[in-house]
Amino acid sequence: MSDIQNLFIRLRGYMFSILALFAIGWGVTPYKTIFLSLIMGAAFSFYMLWTMVRSQQKLAKALKEGKKLRSLGTFTRFAIALLAVVIAVEYPELFDPIVVLLGLMTVYIVIVIDYLIQILRNK
């Protein structure tokens, strides 16, 4: 298995755990809007991670075959983030747009934490 696949498997586990914590928070606390916004942002963030890994795999395959890759999917990730914010703005009784943006950053926070964990493990 390639390094990117191993990384994705680790990050996927972390993201599912975080989504489960957000779901528990939504279910047991009175802060329904906050946790629902975090759930939506983190879910869209997880989808952006998946598209990022998929484009990285396409890039590796293209480099191996000596071909050029048209795009790395940056526009797609921007569109996903915009869609999440548009949904939050459209339904303010369910979602808080600022918290959705925080949820969208979840995967990047998880990547940094995973990186730090890997550095500590390899020492």
Side-chain angles (χ1 to χ4, degrees), residues 17-34:
S17 299
I18 289 171
L19 282 166
L21 287 174
F22 290 162
I24 290 169
W26 176 78
V28 299
T29 66
Y31 305 108
K32 304 284 188 203
T33 302
I34 300 296

PDB file of all heavy atoms in Angstrom, residues 17-34:
ATOM      1  N   SER A  17     -14.009   9.447  13.903  1.00  0.00           N
ATOM      2  CA  SER A  17     -14.080   9.640  15.358  1.00  0.00           C
ATOM      3  C   SER A  17     -14.562  11.046  15.695  1.00  0.00           C
ATOM      4  O   SER A  17     -15.405  11.228  16.588  1.00  0.00           O
ATOM      5  CB  SER A  17     -12.709   9.394  15.990  1.00  0.00           C
ATOM      6  OG  SER A  17     -12.280   8.084  15.755  1.00  0.00           O
ATOM      7  N   ILE A  18     -14.027  12.040  15.000  1.00  0.00           N
ATOM      8  CA  ILE A  18     -14.443  13.424  15.247  1.00  0.00           C
ATOM      9  C   ILE A  18     -15.905  13.616  14.877  1.00  0.00           C
ATOM     10  O   ILE A  18     -16.663  14.265  15.614  1.00  0.00           O
ATOM     11  CB  ILE A  18     -13.522  14.400  14.486  1.00  0.00           C
ATOM     12  CG1 ILE A  18     -12.143  14.411  15.142  1.00  0.00           C
ATOM     13  CG2 ILE A  18     -14.107  15.797  14.433  1.00  0.00           C
ATOM     14  CD1 ILE A  18     -11.088  15.154  14.366  1.00  0.00           C
ATOM     15  N   LEU A  19     -16.324  13.068  13.754  1.00  0.00           N
ATOM     16  CA  LEU A  19     -17.732  13.164  13.366  1.00  0.00           C
ATOM     17  C   LEU A  19     -18.633  12.489  14.400  1.00  0.00           C
ATOM     18  O   LEU A  19     -19.721  12.998  14.708  1.00  0.00           O
ATOM     19  CB  LEU A  19     -17.954  12.559  11.985  1.00  0.00           C
ATOM     20  CG  LEU A  19     -17.534  13.437  10.808  1.00  0.00           C
ATOM     21  CD1 LEU A  19     -17.483  12.629   9.520  1.00  0.00           C
ATOM     22  CD2 LEU A  19     -18.481  14.609  10.650  1.00  0.00           C
ATOM     23  N   ALA A  20     -18.186  11.376  14.958  1.00  0.00           N
ATOM     24  CA  ALA A  20     -18.966  10.698  16.000  1.00  0.00           C
ATOM     25  C   ALA A  20     -19.065  11.574  17.249  1.00  0.00           C
ATOM     26  O   ALA A  20     -20.140  11.670  17.866  1.00  0.00           O
ATOM     27  CB  ALA A  20     -18.344   9.353  16.341  1.00  0.00           C
ATOM     28  N   LEU A  21     -17.963  12.221  17.621  1.00  0.00           N
ATOM     29  CA  LEU A  21     -18.002  13.130  18.779  1.00  0.00           C
ATOM     30  C   LEU A  21     -18.949  14.299  18.535  1.00  0.00           C
ATOM     31  O   LEU A  21     -19.708  14.694  19.434  1.00  0.00           O
ATOM     32  CB  LEU A  21     -16.596  13.654  19.085  1.00  0.00           C
ATOM     33  CG  LEU A  21     -15.632  12.667  19.717  1.00  0.00           C
ATOM     34  CD1 LEU A  21     -14.239  13.283  19.832  1.00  0.00           C
ATOM     35  CD2 LEU A  21     -16.135  12.238  21.082  1.00  0.00           C
ATOM     36  N   PHE A  22     -18.911  14.845  17.334  1.00  0.00           N
ATOM     37  CA  PHE A  22     -19.832  15.935  16.997  1.00  0.00           C
ATOM     38  C   PHE A  22     -21.282  15.459  17.049  1.00  0.00           C
ATOM     39  O   PHE A  22     -22.164  16.178  17.517  1.00  0.00           O
ATOM     40  CB  PHE A  22     -19.521  16.509  15.613  1.00  0.00           C
ATOM     41  CG  PHE A  22     -18.242  17.288  15.524  1.00  0.00           C
ATOM     42  CD1 PHE A  22     -17.663  17.548  14.296  1.00  0.00           C
ATOM     43  CD2 PHE A  22     -17.602  17.771  16.648  1.00  0.00           C
ATOM     44  CE1 PHE A  22     -16.487  18.276  14.185  1.00  0.00           C
ATOM     45  CE2 PHE A  22     -16.421  18.498  16.565  1.00  0.00           C
ATOM     46  CZ  PHE A  22     -15.865  18.748  15.327  1.00  0.00           C
ATOM     47  N   ALA A  23     -21.525  14.242  16.584  1.00  0.00           N
ATOM     48  CA  ALA A  23     -22.889  13.698  16.605  1.00  0.00           C
ATOM     49  C   ALA A  23     -23.357  13.480  18.042  1.00  0.00           C
ATOM     50  O   ALA A  23     -24.523  13.764  18.372  1.00  0.00           O
ATOM     51  CB  ALA A  23     -22.950  12.390  15.817  1.00  0.00           C
ATOM     52  N   ILE A  24     -22.470  13.008  18.889  1.00  0.00           N
ATOM     53  CA  ILE A  24     -22.825  12.846  20.304  1.00  0.00           C
ATOM     54  C   ILE A  24     -23.111  14.210  20.917  1.00  0.00           C
ATOM     55  O   ILE A  24     -24.084  14.383  21.660  1.00  0.00           O
ATOM     56  CB  ILE A  24     -21.702  12.106  21.067  1.00  0.00           C
ATOM     57  CG1 ILE A  24     -21.641  10.649  20.622  1.00  0.00           C
ATOM     58  CG2 ILE A  24     -21.904  12.212  22.579  1.00  0.00           C
ATOM     59  CD1 ILE A  24     -20.425   9.896  21.110  1.00  0.00           C
ATOM     60  N   GLY A  25     -22.276  15.200  20.598  1.00  0.00           N
ATOM     61  CA  GLY A  25     -22.509  16.554  21.090  1.00  0.00           C
ATOM     62  C   GLY A  25     -23.843  17.103  20.623  1.00  0.00           C
ATOM     63  O   GLY A  25     -24.555  17.757  21.384  1.00  0.00           O
ATOM     64  N   TRP A  26     -24.195  16.827  19.387  1.00  0.00           N
ATOM     65  CA  TRP A  26     -25.490  17.266  18.857  1.00  0.00           C
ATOM     66  C   TRP A  26     -26.634  16.600  19.605  1.00  0.00           C
ATOM     67  O   TRP A  26     -27.656  17.215  19.882  1.00  0.00           O
ATOM     68  CB  TRP A  26     -25.569  16.968  17.363  1.00  0.00           C
ATOM     69  CG  TRP A  26     -26.896  17.294  16.762  1.00  0.00           C
ATOM     70  CD1 TRP A  26     -27.362  18.529  16.417  1.00  0.00           C
ATOM     71  CD2 TRP A  26     -27.936  16.376  16.442  1.00  0.00           C
ATOM     72  NE1 TRP A  26     -28.629  18.428  15.895  1.00  0.00           N
ATOM     73  CE2 TRP A  26     -29.000  17.107  15.899  1.00  0.00           C
ATOM     74  CE3 TRP A  26     -28.057  14.997  16.559  1.00  0.00           C
ATOM     75  CZ2 TRP A  26     -30.174  16.505  15.487  1.00  0.00           C
ATOM     76  CZ3 TRP A  26     -29.229  14.401  16.144  1.00  0.00           C
ATOM     77  CH2 TRP A  26     -30.277  15.160  15.609  1.00  0.00           C
ATOM     78  N   GLY A  27     -26.444  15.324  19.943  1.00  0.00           N
ATOM     79  CA  GLY A  27     -27.522  14.574  20.578  1.00  0.00           C
ATOM     80  C   GLY A  27     -27.722  14.867  22.050  1.00  0.00           C
ATOM     81  O   GLY A  27     -28.847  14.783  22.545  1.00  0.00           O
ATOM     82  N   VAL A  28     -26.667  15.221  22.763  1.00  0.00           N
ATOM     83  CA  VAL A  28     -26.799  15.329  24.217  1.00  0.00           C
ATOM     84  C   VAL A  28     -26.675  16.748  24.759  1.00  0.00           C
ATOM     85  O   VAL A  28     -26.908  16.963  25.949  1.00  0.00           O
ATOM     86  CB  VAL A  28     -25.784  14.406  24.944  1.00  0.00           C
ATOM     87  CG1 VAL A  28     -26.015  12.955  24.589  1.00  0.00           C
ATOM     88  CG2 VAL A  28     -24.367  14.824  24.652  1.00  0.00           C
ATOM     89  N   THR A  29     -26.314  17.705  23.940  1.00  0.00           N
ATOM     90  CA  THR A  29     -26.185  19.075  24.431  1.00  0.00           C
ATOM     91  C   THR A  29     -27.294  19.950  23.847  1.00  0.00           C
ATOM     92  O   THR A  29     -27.906  19.604  22.834  1.00  0.00           O
ATOM     93  CB  THR A  29     -24.816  19.686  24.044  1.00  0.00           C
ATOM     94  OG1 THR A  29     -24.746  19.826  22.629  1.00  0.00           O
ATOM     95  CG2 THR A  29     -23.661  18.835  24.536  1.00  0.00           C
ATOM     96  N   PRO A  30     -27.510  21.095  24.464  1.00  0.00           N
ATOM     97  CA  PRO A  30     -28.516  22.012  23.914  1.00  0.00           C
ATOM     98  C   PRO A  30     -27.993  22.841  22.734  1.00  0.00           C
ATOM     99  O   PRO A  30     -28.728  23.634  22.170  1.00  0.00           O
ATOM    100  CB  PRO A  30     -28.850  22.921  25.108  1.00  0.00           C
ATOM    101  CG  PRO A  30     -27.652  22.883  25.969  1.00  0.00           C
ATOM    102  CD  PRO A  30     -27.048  21.519  25.788  1.00  0.00           C
ATOM    103  N   TYR A  31     -26.737  22.650  22.351  1.00  0.00           N
ATOM    104  CA  TYR A  31     -26.125  23.430  21.276  1.00  0.00           C
ATOM    105  C   TYR A  31     -26.294  22.724  19.928  1.00  0.00           C
ATOM    106  O   TYR A  31     -25.318  22.398  19.245  1.00  0.00           O
ATOM    107  CB  TYR A  31     -24.643  23.666  21.580  1.00  0.00           C
ATOM    108  CG  TYR A  31     -24.419  24.297  22.927  1.00  0.00           C
ATOM    109  CD1 TYR A  31     -23.879  23.570  23.973  1.00  0.00           C
ATOM    110  CD2 TYR A  31     -24.773  25.622  23.149  1.00  0.00           C
ATOM    111  CE1 TYR A  31     -23.689  24.145  25.211  1.00  0.00           C
ATOM    112  CE2 TYR A  31     -24.587  26.211  24.389  1.00  0.00           C
ATOM    113  CZ  TYR A  31     -24.038  25.472  25.409  1.00  0.00           C
ATOM    114  OH  TYR A  31     -23.857  26.046  26.642  1.00  0.00           O
ATOM    115  N   LYS A  32     -27.531  22.503  19.543  1.00  0.00           N
ATOM    116  CA  LYS A  32     -27.833  21.754  18.316  1.00  0.00           C
ATOM    117  C   LYS A  32     -27.278  22.442  17.074  1.00  0.00           C
ATOM    118  O   LYS A  32     -26.684  21.791  16.217  1.00  0.00           O
ATOM    119  CB  LYS A  32     -29.349  21.576  18.158  1.00  0.00           C
ATOM    120  CG  LYS A  32     -30.032  20.921  19.336  1.00  0.00           C
ATOM    121  CD  LYS A  32     -29.776  19.454  19.353  1.00  0.00           C
ATOM    122  CE  LYS A  32     -30.644  18.814  20.442  1.00  0.00           C
ATOM    123  NZ  LYS A  32     -30.116  17.564  20.893  1.00  0.00           N
ATOM    124  N   THR A  33     -27.445  23.751  16.976  1.00  0.00           N
ATOM    125  CA  THR A  33     -26.985  24.487  15.788  1.00  0.00           C
ATOM    126  C   THR A  33     -25.473  24.407  15.649  1.00  0.00           C
ATOM    127  O   THR A  33     -24.955  24.189  14.549  1.00  0.00           O
ATOM    128  CB  THR A  33     -27.425  25.964  15.882  1.00  0.00           C
ATOM    129  OG1 THR A  33     -28.836  26.005  15.999  1.00  0.00           O
ATOM    130  CG2 THR A  33     -27.002  26.743  14.655  1.00  0.00           C
ATOM    131  N   ILE A  34     -24.763  24.553  16.759  1.00  0.00           N
ATOM    132  CA  ILE A  34     -23.295  24.518  16.723  1.00  0.00           C
ATOM    133  C   ILE A  34     -22.810  23.150  16.256  1.00  0.00           C
ATOM    134  O   ILE A  34     -21.989  23.045  15.338  1.00  0.00           O
ATOM    135  CB  ILE A  34     -22.713  24.852  18.117  1.00  0.00           C
ATOM    136  CG1 ILE A  34     -23.148  26.245  18.581  1.00  0.00           C
ATOM    137  CG2 ILE A  34     -21.198  24.702  18.125  1.00  0.00           C
ATOM    138  CD1 ILE A  34     -22.654  27.379  17.740  1.00  0.00           C
TER     139      ILE A  34
END
